Amino acid sequence: MHSHPAVRERLFLERVFLLLDARSLTSGLQTAIDILVLIFAFEFAYLLRFDFEFGDQPFKDMLHQGCYVVVLQAVALQMTGVSSFIWRYIGLMEIKTFLKAALISSLPALALRLWLPETFQTWRVPFSIIVIDTGLAFGGVLAVRVLRRALYEHDDARQRTEAPSQSRGRKRTLLIGAGRVGMMAAREIRNHSSHELEIKGFVDDDRNLHKSMAQGVPVMGTTADLPRLVAEHDIDLVIISIAEVSRREVKRITSICDAIPVPVKIVPAMSELLEGKVNFSRIRDLQIEDLLGRAPVHLDQEEIQRLVTDRAVLVSGAGGSIGSELTRQIARFKPSVILLVERAEFALFNIERELREAWPELSIVPLIADVGDEPRMRSIFATYAPAMVLHAAAHKHVPMMESNPTEAVKNNILATRTLARLAGEAKVGVFVMISTDKAVRPRSVMGASKRMAELVVQSLNGHYDTRFLVVRFGNVIGSAGSVIPLFREQIGKGGPVTVTHPDMLRYFMTIPEASQLVLQAAAIGEGSEIFILDMGEPVKILDLAKDTIRLSGFKPNEDIDIVFTGLRPGEKLFEELETKGENISKTKHPKIFIGRIAPSTREKVDEDLEQLSVLAQHERHDQIRVLLNAILPEAQVSTDAEAHSARRLQTA
């Protein structure tokens, strides 16, 4: 019965697997197995030491010494946490813990050998036995766990081979990238038997890895071989599993896969994994952010901690895209309290709830307030005494501000002056205003209002103890009212996708990246600087529209049309990040630059603001445009007549 060798082997493995199965291995049984291994290791060390022949005295010594040596080793396993390891997941990372346990247990035995007198010979373990036993004992304990993992993986592989019908229902998958992220992704997929993916191989452009095996999966070729590999192995899906893959590389791989064609997904970036946002099992579709993203930002954590930790931080516009992300980044550094200033009730409710769920121990104060309401803001400063103010509240929609220039003046300029002055009077440590590339040689009311706000902030520096700074950057991916959410909405309706001009260029940055660099600039700024963030290469809006359509599963101008609507009032074909004469210089952070331009005097700025305030109160739209052009020599803001003509042509 059961005479066939393969059947006997299978039955034997099943019995061993059952013995070492995690469900039957209670902590007590695991400890018992460890103790047995330690005892046998010590006895075998003695047998080796005496060539398997020893008299009564060595035997008695072995019994005496074995008692306390095994106890020492068992205690070392508990102290170092070896006993808490899950046996079937043992790996290279855990080996150092075994080495640490071996060292801890051998030191007392060595000390007794050196310091005990000859009269205590029975308790003095020979050096050779200490060395042999340590190696055998902890090697044996490790070996049992490695055997458990090997049996688990063997059984898992057997189940996959014995369930061809289930395997046929899975998507045959290639992983691009046989590095650390690829290994971890392969392990996660294989450890989840319910996963819908079946890994057929790795693809990696490092030719040294070709024809090698990783996680039991072959490395089949380079990305150039993808068309052949997809055809030969009937691949259903390609997953990009490269750590912090560049935008250019994602676009290149996507182009290859589009031409085959085969669907592409991506493993979450390491930054997302470390922040706990997603798991490896949450392999997701490519998003436009993957095509626009760049290398991760590396912050000087210590500088930001000194600025934020255990201090009160106020964020204006806390419910907006930038303001809300600033609060998330600040929360990581454990301030004493975060003051969320926002006049939109629902936006404030959402960010407060999110922060309380993510950081329940953090003190969070939601404050419904308009930053231009001086009595209300003065009360907030007096009550909470913030040490840092991040001013993100602003009107930012270019065409809308063309129609509402008085509101742009009130909110973007006058409210900024109110908030900045109050910060100075309250002796706030640092005040940071969030600005935009549209403030450079502005052609719109919005851009001109932000440039005026920059001058306001600069003019206050030196008049108070506060450091007043400006941080200027371009478009942030996915922010409210930006082009990408608009494209997605248009695609969801079946199109068309509207692009104002085929040659329009814009800079893009992810919201977390921009927010992190704002904090870094706040930490390194001395006062009066305009910090300019490195936005990388500008992106064609037309290319962005095509990529968004493709990632939604459609073909541009076949499934979804692209329509050109013409430039809107106040828009430019391309944006700039620096004004002529700003003398851009480097900072110690590679992604932050300083634009040093001589600020206007406080008296001149106050005089200009008084005129703008009067015009805003009386709704003098056209005079506001004229005055902005006069105050800012580089500005080219359209008049009401020009703006009306542009809107009429656009509608036509």
Side-chain angles (χ1 to χ4, degrees), residues 281-347:
S281 56
R282 294 279 300 278
I283 293 168
R284 57 172 172 76
D285 292 329
L286 274 174
Q287 299 171 358
I288 197 65
E289 289 83 350
D290 297 311
L291 303 183
L292 294 175
R294 304 195 302 282
V297 177
H298 298 289
L299 302 178
D300 187 332
Q301 304 280 346
E302 291 184 2
E303 280 192 336
I304 298 176
Q305 282 180 344
R306 284 195 294 269
L307 184 71
V308 174
T309 303
D310 295 328
R311 299 189 179 187
V313 179
L314 184 151
V315 180
S316 72
S321 304
I322 297 297
S324 61
E325 183 61 29
L326 282 171
T327 65
R328 296 183 193 104
Q329 297 295 334
I330 290 166
R332 295 167 47 209
F333 294 96
K334 299 180 179 177
S336 62
V337 60
I338 299 182
L339 308 173
L340 309 177
V341 175
E342 173 62 61
R343 67 181 183 182
E345 180 187 20
F346 188 62

Side-chain angles (χ1 to χ4, degrees), residues 515-529:
S515 300
Q516 290 168 15
L517 289 175
V518 167
L519 294 182
Q520 188 69 73
I524 65 178
E526 297 177 358
S528 190
E529 302 100 331

Side-chain angles (χ1 to χ4, degrees), residues 164-171 196:
S165 58
Q166 184 181 5
S167 177
R168 280 197 298 269
R170 296 178 177 179
K171 293 182 179 178
E196 63 176 7

Side-chain angles (χ1 to χ4, degrees), residues 38 70-80 104:
L38 297 177
V70 170
V71 170
L72 285 173
Q73 292 171 339
V75 170
L77 291 176
Q78 291 288 340
M79 287 176 57
T80 55
I104 290 173

Side-chain angles (χ1 to χ4, degrees), residues 226-238:
L226 274 171
R228 174 181 61 82
L229 294 172
V230 169
E232 288 180 359
H233 299 278
D234 194 21
I235 297 300
D236 302 307
L237 178 66
V238 169

Side-chain angles (χ1 to χ4, degrees), residues 552-605:
S552 301
F554 302 104
K555 294 181 180 179
N557 292 319
E558 292 185 25
D559 303 317
I560 301 289
D561 290 331
I562 297 176
V563 176
F564 298 106
T565 58
L567 291 177
R568 296 176 297 180
E571 280 190 327
K572 298 190 286 186
L573 273 181
F574 61 92
E575 301 290 358
E576 304 161 275
L577 288 168
E578 58 183 282
T579 298
K580 184 178 179 181
E582 280 190 333
N583 300 319
I584 299 300
S585 60
K586 294 181 179 180
T587 68
K588 60 183 179 181
H589 195 284
K591 289 192 175 184
I592 302 177
F593 301 87
I594 297 177
R596 298 188 183 278
I597 187 170
S600 297
T601 64
R602 182 174 178 179
E603 291 74 17
K604 175 66 168 60
V605 170

Side-chain angles (χ1 to χ4, degrees), residues 605-624:
V605 170
D606 286 344
E607 179 184 330
D608 293 335
L609 293 194
E610 288 307 313
Q611 296 182 61
L612 284 170
S613 178
V614 171
L615 295 177
Q617 289 174 11
H618 293 87
E619 300 280 338
R620 307 294 187 185
H621 292 187
D622 200 46
Q623 293 180 41
I624 287 174

Side-chain angles (χ1 to χ4, degrees), residues 289 321 476-482 484-485 488 508-509 511:
E289 289 83 350
S321 304
V476 289
I477 301 171
S479 63
S482 65
I484 293 173
R488 287 171 175 158
F508 283 94
M509 177 177 278
I511 296 176

